């Protein structure tokens, strides 16, 4: 039997992951809503974004060669994040962007 502290930690970890996942889905849906043709419904767009982030591979037909580059980039990033998991990708991005931010900060201080 697990202790209360451990149970709370596990619940918090699951909640953070769920919030990140839903937040990314919301961002992807907003981007795709502005890009795809009106023939696709909101449920099609949500399904497409969730399928990409979940690395499922199912599609409603939104992904096609004529999809604008921003839509392709969004779905590619979602597929990549789904394959590697969200938290490691966010750590990688924060580490690499943090290094760029420090480098820019040093150059600004020199000026």
């Amino acid at each position: 039997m697990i202790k209360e502290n451990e149970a709370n930690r596990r619940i918090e970890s699951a909640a953070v992951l769920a919030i990140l996942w839903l937040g990314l889905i919301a961002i992807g849906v907003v981007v795709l809503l502005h890009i795809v043709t009106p023939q696709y419904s909101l449920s099609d767009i949500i399904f497409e974004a969730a399928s990409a982030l979940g690395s499922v591979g199912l599609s409603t037909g939104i992904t096609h060669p004529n999809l604008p580059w921003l839509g392709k980039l969004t779905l590619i990033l979602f597929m990549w994040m789904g394959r590697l998991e969200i938290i490691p990708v966010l750590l990688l991005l924060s580490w690499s962007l943090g290094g760029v931010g420090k480098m820019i900060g040093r150059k600004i201080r020199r000026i």
Side-chain angles (χ1 to χ4, degrees):
M1 186 165 182
I2 60 174
K3 296 180 182 178
E4 186 176 348
N5 291 344
E6 178 67 19
N8 287 336
R9 190 184 65 75
R10 287 184 183 185
I11 290 171
E12 287 174 3
S13 298
V16 166
L17 187 61
I19 290 169
L20 286 172
W21 202 83
L22 291 172
L24 284 171
I25 292 290
I27 291 169
V29 166
V30 169
V31 169
L32 290 174
L33 269 174
H34 292 293
I35 292 175
V36 299
T37 57
Q39 72 186 28
Y40 297 106
S41 66
L42 178 62
S43 62
D44 289 338
I45 294 171
I46 293 171
F47 181 84
E48 195 77 27
S51 175
L53 191 57
S55 294
V56 176
L58 300 175
S59 178
T60 58
I62 293 174
T63 55
H64 56 79
N66 296 331
L67 184 67
W69 68 270
L70 184 58
K72 289 178 185 177
L73 181 64
T74 301
L75 291 173
I76 288 169
L77 287 174
F78 274 26
M79 290 175 197
W80 182 65
M81 284 182 153
R83 180 71 176 126
L84 297 178
E85 293 298 327
I86 295 171
I87 293 177
V89 170
L90 291 177
L91 287 173
L92 174 69
L93 293 176
S94 68
W95 175 76
S96 61
L97 293 177
V100 170
K102 289 178 185 176
M103 185 174 63
I104 292 172
R106 279 185 251 147
K107 288 188 179 189
I108 289 174
R109 279 186 233 135
R110 289 181 190 167
I111 297 175

